[in-house]
Amino acid sequence: MKKILLGIFSFFIIQNISMANDYVQFNFPNDGWIEVESPDGVSTKRCYIPYSQNPQNYTEMLIFQEKLIKNKGVSPMIVLHKQLGKDRINYQDITPEYIRPDSEDAMVTWCSEGKNTCALKRAFQGKDGIIMVTYINRMPHYSQNMFGQWSNILNAVKLYEVEDYTKELPKNVIEL
């Protein structure tokens, strides 16, 4: 019995060690973005704010996260749609508008006038899961087309192939 349990335990450890994380390549739109802890305490999120802002009272935030999917065949669009359901809990007045309704690389935007917050979300397929990239603006200027600029910026996020794990990663590469 001990050998069976030890064998199962070893299998899971080896499986977790061999499971590589994805890397994304992203050029920040301007210098001065710093990494901060996730406001909701989720350690798998990589969050960035402009250096002139603080994590407790930020205006803009970029969030990179990889969602590991246990069921094969779940598309990025489904994961994005599920995330929108979670967003509706905090922002009841949102009406999502799909910028790109592609099942493999979807992008959506929404604004909450009640909470004066807008978001732009993109979901696409990584090697290990679905990669979700979110831009949040808590002081949007509704008269400006900031989402035209930010949809182009988020559209430029792409997977990065790590060829040599011993080399230092370029500055514009984020490990998820």
Side-chain angles (χ1 to χ4, degrees):
M1 184 66 168
K2 286 182 181 180
K3 288 182 182 181
I4 293 173
L5 288 175
L6 186 59
I8 292 172
F9 180 72
S10 299
F11 172 77
F12 285 117
I13 288 184
I14 291 170
Q15 186 178 21
N16 286 337
I17 290 172
S18 65
M19 191 170 74
N21 289 333
D22 279 330
Y23 296 82
V24 291
Q25 188 169 10
F26 177 70
N27 293 319
F28 285 95
N30 52 38
D31 292 334
W33 287 75
I34 56 171
E35 187 172 3
V36 296
E37 287 187 33
S38 171
D40 56 4
V42 178
S43 63
T44 59
K45 289 182 180 178
R46 304 293 299 263
C47 301
Y48 297 86
I49 61 172
Y51 76 94
S52 60
Q53 300 176 22
N54 68 55
Q56 292 76 30
N57 193 19
Y58 64 90
T59 301
E60 296 177 282
M61 182 176 279
L62 278 165
I63 302 169
F64 298 85
Q65 184 178 23
E66 184 166 29
K67 298 186 178 264
L68 299 178
I69 307 300
K70 294 178 184 174
N71 299 332
K72 298 291 181 195
V74 175
S75 71
M77 174 68 93
I78 291 171
V79 173
L80 184 60
H81 191 70
K82 198 173 198 180
Q83 182 61 46
L84 288 172
K86 293 177 183 178
D87 290 347
R88 282 193 181 106
I89 294 170
N90 295 322
Y91 306 95
Q92 284 104 17
D93 64 336
I94 66 172
T95 303
E97 294 180 34
Y98 283 91
I99 296 169
R100 186 177 334 137
D102 184 339
S103 66
E104 296 303 313
D105 190 355
M107 194 179 301
V108 68
T109 184
W110 58 255
C111 287
S112 168
E113 288 189 37
K115 293 198 177 180
N116 200 31
T117 300
C118 289
L120 179 66
K121 295 176 179 276
R122 178 181 174 211
F124 63 98
Q125 186 66 52
K127 288 186 287 184
D128 293 336
I130 307 294
I131 296 172
M132 181 84 64
V133 183
T134 304
Y135 169 73
I136 297 173
N137 189 322
R138 293 173 31 181
M139 290 188 65
H141 302 284
Y142 294 103
S143 63
Q144 296 176 343
N145 186 7
M146 67 177 185
F147 288 105
Q149 173 193 8
W150 277 97
S151 63
N152 289 335
I153 291 169
L154 293 190
N155 196 45
V157 175
K158 62 182 180 180
L159 282 176
Y160 180 78
E161 295 292 329
V162 177
E163 297 170 10
D164 186 355
Y165 289 94
T166 61
K167 290 184 179 178
E168 188 173 326
L169 294 172
K171 291 185 182 198
N172 67 340
V173 173
I174 300 168
E175 180 181 3
L176 301 176

